[in-house]
Amino acid sequence: MLLAPEAYQILSLGMRYVFLTLTAYIVLQLVLQSLAEHRLLRRKKLEAAGAACGYLEVSAPDSLAGERFVLYREVVIGAARRCDICVKKAGLSPAHAALYEKKGSIYLSNQGGRGGVCLNDEPVKKKDKLVLSGDRINLGRLELYLYIGEPEAQHDQEDD
């Protein structure tokens, strides 16, 4: 049984689309896997260096209240998966803000967050702001408190 030339053309066209779709899927999976490995390696490298210098605790929105994020020497906060602290439900930009250590102090920088970046109700624009333990950071609808040092040490100080 022979097929008409038109049937071969349709079959050939369909196979091209299947091939292109599979190729695109494979490339997408490779990119996602590479990003996941990069984040894991970066986190492991920071942990190995003992770079944890504190934590951020969420106070708003209520659905995230009480959640804690470890603070390393450089942390990018945003809604993108590539961020060190990824929070999708708080109206953040893909890369909203960053906290970084410089000469023993920690600074907050605005990475172009649409919802604004505020430190203790003062907007952070172009110039980075020095942050201290207990400071309140607002990123869009997300409200965080910064604590420098180990969580256990913070609770011991509060009990005294």
Side-chain angles (χ1 to χ4, degrees):
M1 177 168 134
L2 294 173
L3 295 176
E6 295 85 19
Y8 282 116
Q9 288 178 345
I10 292 172
L11 184 61
S12 172
L13 184 63
M15 294 306 290
R16 287 180 193 164
Y17 284 115
V18 168
F19 177 74
L20 288 174
T21 303
L22 285 173
T23 304
Y25 176 76
I26 289 169
V27 168
L28 177 65
Q29 291 301 315
L30 286 171
V31 168
L32 291 175
Q33 185 64 32
S34 295
L35 287 173
E37 286 179 16
H38 172 73
R39 289 182 72 202
L40 180 65
L41 287 174
R42 183 175 177 193
R43 186 164 286 138
K44 292 290 183 186
K45 192 184 293 184
L46 290 173
E47 288 174 0
C53 57
Y55 65 98
L56 293 165
E57 186 170 332
V58 179
S59 63
D62 290 337
S63 61
L64 298 170
E67 190 169 339
R68 289 184 179 179
F69 300 102
V70 176
L71 182 62
Y72 295 104
R73 295 183 186 214
E74 184 176 336
V75 174
V76 178
I77 306 166
R81 290 180 54 189
R82 70 180 184 272
C83 292
D84 301 307
I85 297 175
C86 176
V87 183
K88 294 186 184 256
K89 299 177 184 176
L92 298 182
S93 298
H96 201 95
L99 287 163
Y100 63 92
E101 184 179 9
K102 182 178 177 184
K103 297 182 181 177
S105 298
I106 300 175
Y107 292 87
L108 174 67
S109 72
N110 187 339
Q111 301 291 307
R114 294 185 306 264
V117 176
C118 293
L119 175 65
N120 298 323
D121 295 325
E122 292 183 28
V124 176
K125 301 264 184 195
K126 292 182 180 181
K127 187 176 180 187
D128 299 349
K129 301 273 187 173
L130 174 69
V131 292
L132 303 171
S133 190
D135 281 349
R136 186 178 71 244
I137 299 170
N138 292 88
L139 310 172
R141 295 188 315 262
L142 185 66
E143 183 175 282
L144 303 159
Y145 282 90
L146 172 90
Y147 296 102
I148 298 171
E150 295 298 318
E152 294 80 21
Q154 291 293 329
H155 292 301
D156 291 344
Q157 289 175 0
E158 292 171 3
D159 294 338
D160 292 338

